[in-house]
Amino acid sequence: MAFQNLKKTLLTIFKWILICVLIGVLSGSASAFFLLSLEWVTQFRIQHDWLIWLLPLGGLLVGFSYHYWGESVVKGNNLLLEEYETPKKVIPFKMAPLVLLGTLLTHLFGGSAGREGTAVQMGGAIADQFTKLFNLDNTERRVLIILGISAGFASVFGTPLAGAIFALEVLYFSQINIKSILLSFLVAYAAYFTVEFWQVKHTHYNIPVVPEISLTTLCYVILIGLLSGFAALLFSRSTHFWGSLFSKNIKYPPLRPFIGGIVLSIVLAGFGLTKFSGLGVPVIVDSFTNANPWYDFLLKILFTGFTLGAGFKGGEVTPLFFVGATLGSALSLVIPLPIAFLAGLGFVAVFSGATHTPIACTIMGMELFGVQPGLFIAIACLIAYFSSGSVGIYKSQIIKGAKYKLYQRLQRKELENL
């Protein structure tokens, strides 16, 4: 009997290790292909700036592809969160190629969007296919979705620790056990090393000077956290506002990105604002050494919210990095702290506020910038998390814990004062 139990346990361990390796390799390879393709279309657009005038055509192609072939996966990241909370049916594999194509078209023609959503959706779609292959139940399906999110995030940003924790935290550790935690880390590193194997490079950022810990510095860091939280709130509300506006006023879905593309191409090209197209990585890198205009972060919020709300595809996280880094960079004109330090804090704090994931964002900050600014990063991320409102970029995300209790208490006080 004991031998049979041991055999069963060993087979289960082997099964999940095999699943993690397969998901990590497949998701990592998909992310590597995506990152190389994204770099190519971005450089091609930069060399042929007239392409932005074809953004409406790109929007029409994205709109048609999802309307006629991708209606079941159009929710994107929210579908992953919904299937985790209430498992219904396996996520169709077509989510992966559709979001890949949609994101590349968005970036080729100059839409303002990110990349994490694409990698996470590809990872989630790939991972969920193992449900039938290994005959897994709903509890085990939840583990697969965690693994898909972890693999996608870790591989696209080159941050395996943050990727593993993000997958757990974005679900608020709901129905998560020690097995899920260990497997999330395993698949994150498998995906990360797969991208390394394909020799795909990630952008590197640096905070060369970290100020000493003092009461003044801590007060400034708290201020950065608050402003980052407000920027995250504005970003989330902007994206939801434009999405709601387009869906209410344009009933035929393919026309939404087409009309949105017309507006974007006229504004971005007509007013010389093409630096807000695409990911905006060059602007992010520059913000660590040169102060940005105070309005850059606001324009990125506007253009990204409009792009995604209109129905173009991509992610929100890299634009959030843009918003946070340029906000911190601009504040260097009035806050007497190193510009790279302020840009770095904003970089991760705005992300923390918009996704309700302060732990993952703190870990990401230390993976990207080193351990030395870790305390300041943690404070900024925590303050941004609490000050960013109750709704983040993912509508289907379940918000619980201390933040949920805080906002419930604030709402009760407001009702009592009526």
Side-chain angles (χ1 to χ4, degrees), residues 360-384:
C361 292
T362 299
I363 298 298
M364 170 177 262
M366 289 190 283
E367 283 188 285
L368 293 174
F369 309 127
V371 178
Q372 190 178 0
L375 175 63
F376 298 122
I377 290 171
I379 293 171
C381 287
L382 193 62
I383 296 297

Side-chain angles (χ1 to χ4, degrees), residues 83-248:
E83 282 297 325
Y84 180 86
E85 288 296 327
T86 310
K88 294 180 180 178
K89 59 181 180 179
V90 173
I91 296 167
F93 179 74
K94 63 183 176 181
M95 171 184 269
L98 279 173
V99 74
L100 173 64
L101 175 64
T103 303
L104 292 178
L105 286 171
T106 297
H107 285 274
L108 175 62
F109 297 112
S112 177
R115 57 192 175 186
E116 120 289 337
T118 306
V120 166
Q121 288 172 51
M122 289 194 301
I126 290 169
D128 211 13
Q129 304 314 304
F130 289 94
T131 298
K132 293 180 179 178
L133 185 62
F134 286 90
N135 194 28
L136 304 179
D137 58 27
N138 283 339
T139 300
E140 293 172 314
R141 263 200 74 206
R142 290 190 174 97
V143 177
L144 285 182
I145 292 173
I146 291 172
L147 300 184
I149 295 173
S150 176
F153 193 98
S155 58
V156 80
F157 290 122
T159 53
L161 287 175
I165 296 172
F166 177 82
L168 302 169
E169 192 177 13
V170 77
L171 301 165
Y172 188 67
F173 303 99
S174 175
Q175 305 177 57
I176 288 171
N177 51 36
I178 189 66
K179 181 178 83 171
S180 302
I181 296 172
L182 294 175
L183 294 178
S184 183
F185 279 95
L186 177 59
V187 77
Y189 274 96
Y192 168 75
F193 284 118
T194 298
V195 174
E196 291 287 298
F197 171 80
W198 291 117
Q199 298 183 352
V200 177
K201 303 299 180 184
H202 298 282
T203 306
H204 293 283
Y205 305 95
N206 183 37
I207 299 179
V209 180
V210 178
E212 296 292 329
I213 297 176
S214 68
L215 181 60
T216 302
T217 302
L218 290 174
C219 288
Y220 282 132
V221 170
I222 291 172
L223 176 61
I224 293 291
L226 285 170
L227 294 176
S228 296
F230 296 151
L233 185 152
L234 185 60
F235 186 100
S236 300
R237 297 299 171 91
S238 172
T239 303
H240 299 325
F241 168 77
W242 290 114
S244 176
L245 187 69
F246 272 98
S247 62
K248 285 181 180 178

Side-chain angles (χ1 to χ4, degrees), residues 244-264:
S244 176
L245 187 69
F246 272 98
S247 62
K248 285 181 180 178
N249 293 284
I250 304 174
K251 299 303 180 183
Y252 186 55
L255 283 180
R256 296 168 192 166
F258 175 73
I259 294 172
I262 294 174
V263 175
L264 282 169

